[in-house]
Amino acid sequence: MEIRYPGPLVPGDVIGVTAPSTGVPGSLTRRLEFAVQQLRDRGFSVDMGDCMDGSTHISAPAEQRARELMRMLLDPTVKAIVPPWGGATAIDLIPHLDFDALASAEPTWFVGYSDISTLLTPVTLRTGMATLHGSNLLDTPYRVPESLMSWIDIASLPAGSSFKQASPGVYRVNDWDDWENQPELTENTWNGTGAWERLDKGQDEVSVTGRLIGGCIETMVNLAGTPYLNSEALRNDDSGSLIVYIEASSVDATTICRHLHGMRLAGFFDGAKAILVGRTGAPDSATLTQAEAALDALGMLGIPIIGNVECGHVPPQLPIVNGAQGHLVFNEKDQYLEQTLA
């Protein structure tokens, strides 16, 4: 599969805002307005969609949400699309998306995480269009630690570019700002410190390459075994290798363990040379931690499993480009992920 990278974002470009899953409640309208203004302050124009209602678990009926998303993805003047956040049931859009049209269209940066993984990962696997697993719109105003990059910075790179990211050593778990009363916050309050960890306890130095693919466990598992989570096409390049990243949102460790077993049996991890496990605030179970859940389901693959990576629901966010060529290094001196848009 040839990976197709969108052109680099430049000031004056249009960024589409739509909620393919859950919209924004009225109480957070000021945060939404602040985040949109931040984009405008950086020189971008904003195409604000109609599917933004946050009064229920969906922003609009599935057909309407899919139609608006497709419009933005196929509009050559829209250079990036960023939802306000994730949600609950983006999966109901899948039957309404025209993957053939997306495969033949000029690629557009499609950004997000959590329930948006339900769309990002299939779009890359079915069409070859690179997608960007990174901060959603309401999180975008936060300042990014020095060793990481914002999704806007990554989307502003031309095809062929390479960039490295590493753990900043700080995080914020199970603690959220009051956006209703303080909508203009741009600084996270870190409440933890820690770096990446070798979960599989291997002692060898890690230096592996492979195409990057992954996302939120709780949402992707519902596509396991379907054509929308078939990583085979991505493995059909010169190396045939993947680096898979996964992250748990909120469910207990026993459930995550079952989910990962199912995804493994469905072949999603076939060809993986390493697995990145996102840092999580999701609860452990009585006899199983979140780290143990990943090892229980994936340890038999015999590949490096690196935990506490900043690729999930615990800020800060290490954005990952689905489809990019990854180079993972983990040894006593260096721990980083290099991505190449090639």
Side-chain angles (χ1 to χ4, degrees):
M1 173 183 283
E2 177 187 359
I3 302 300
R4 300 175 299 118
Y5 297 94
L9 278 179
V10 296
D13 280 346
V14 176
I15 296 178
V17 174
T18 183
S21 184
T22 303
V24 180
S27 60
L28 297 183
T29 297
R30 289 196 298 157
R31 178 64 177 185
L32 174 63
E33 292 171 346
F34 177 69
V36 168
Q37 187 59 48
Q38 291 278 296
L39 297 180
R40 292 179 173 137
D41 289 346
R42 296 188 64 155
F44 301 110
S45 297
V46 175
D47 178 352
M48 180 63 71
D50 296 321
C51 300
M52 296 293 293
D53 181 13
S55 59
T56 71
H57 71 289
I58 53 174
S59 64
E63 294 87 347
Q64 183 180 345
R65 282 178 282 133
R67 191 161 53 245
E68 182 163 274
L69 179 61
M70 286 296 302
R71 175 186 69 78
M72 291 184 177
L73 285 168
L74 297 178
D75 184 343
T77 68
V78 176
K79 302 302 183 181
I81 301 166
V82 56
W85 49 21
T89 58
I91 193 170
D92 63 359
L93 264 67
I94 294 290
H96 303 287
L97 299 181
D98 188 341
F99 290 97
D100 290 337
L102 294 177
S104 60
E106 285 296 314
T108 302
W109 282 117
F110 186 16
V111 186
Y113 75 108
S114 193
D115 194 30
I116 306 303
S117 295
T118 317
L119 305 174
L120 299 179
T121 309
V123 166
T124 296
L125 292 175
R126 294 294 299 271
T127 76
M129 186 177 87
T131 56
L132 215 171
H133 184 273
S135 299
N136 56 45
L137 177 60
L138 296 191
D139 285 325
T140 296
Y142 285 114
R143 186 178 64 83
V144 177
E146 201 168 294
S147 64
L148 303 176
M149 296 176 67
S150 74
W151 71 263
I152 295 177
D153 291 337
I154 293 172
S156 299
L157 296 172
S161 298
S162 295
F163 57 95
K164 292 181 181 179
Q165 296 180 98
S167 175
V170 294
Y171 59 86
R172 183 178 187 177
V173 61
N174 292 337
D175 178 52
W176 299 272
D177 284 324
D178 180 8
W179 286 340
E180 183 175 354
N181 294 304
Q182 295 178 291
E184 299 182 355
L185 289 171
T186 60
E187 295 288 337
N188 268 299
T189 303
W190 311 119
N191 63 7
T193 59
W196 298 357
E197 178 185 1
R198 185 80 185 264
L199 298 184
D200 64 302
K201 306 305 180 184
Q203 300 301 310
D204 56 313
E205 294 190 352
V206 176
S207 179
V208 297
T209 60
R211 294 286 175 187
L212 289 156
I213 197 69
C216 180
I217 298 166
E218 292 101 311
T219 68
M220 290 195 305
V221 68
N222 301 290
L223 295 171
T226 76
Y228 304 103
L229 206 69
N230 184 353
S231 60
E232 182 177 2
L234 199 59
R235 299 195 302 268
N236 289 337
D237 65 0
D238 292 340
S239 69
S241 302
L242 303 178
I243 297 175
V244 180
Y245 65 95
I246 52 174
E247 60 100 5
S249 168
S250 58
V251 303
D252 65 272
T254 303
T255 303
I256 289 296
C257 186
R258 285 195 296 265
H259 287 346
L260 290 176
H261 273 287
M263 292 170 67
R264 189 195 77 249
L265 291 172
F268 183 67
F269 297 96
D270 290 356
K273 297 302 180 184
I275 296 170
L276 304 177
V277 181
R279 182 179 285 113
T280 183
D284 296 332
S285 299
T287 60
L288 194 69
T289 67
Q290 290 283 341
E292 289 167 344
L295 283 176
D296 185 284
L298 306 175
M300 71 281 290
L301 296 176
I303 59 177
I305 302 176
I306 311 299
N308 291 330
V309 178
E310 293 82 2
C311 61
H313 282 71
V314 175
Q317 181 76 260
L318 185 156
I320 295 177
V321 177
N322 286 318
Q325 187 71 35
H327 179 207
L328 173 66
V329 171
F330 187 95
N331 55 53
E332 287 189 4
K333 180 183 177 182
D334 296 310
Q335 301 92 39
Y336 63 82
L337 175 66
E338 182 177 23
Q339 301 179 60
T340 302
L341 308 183

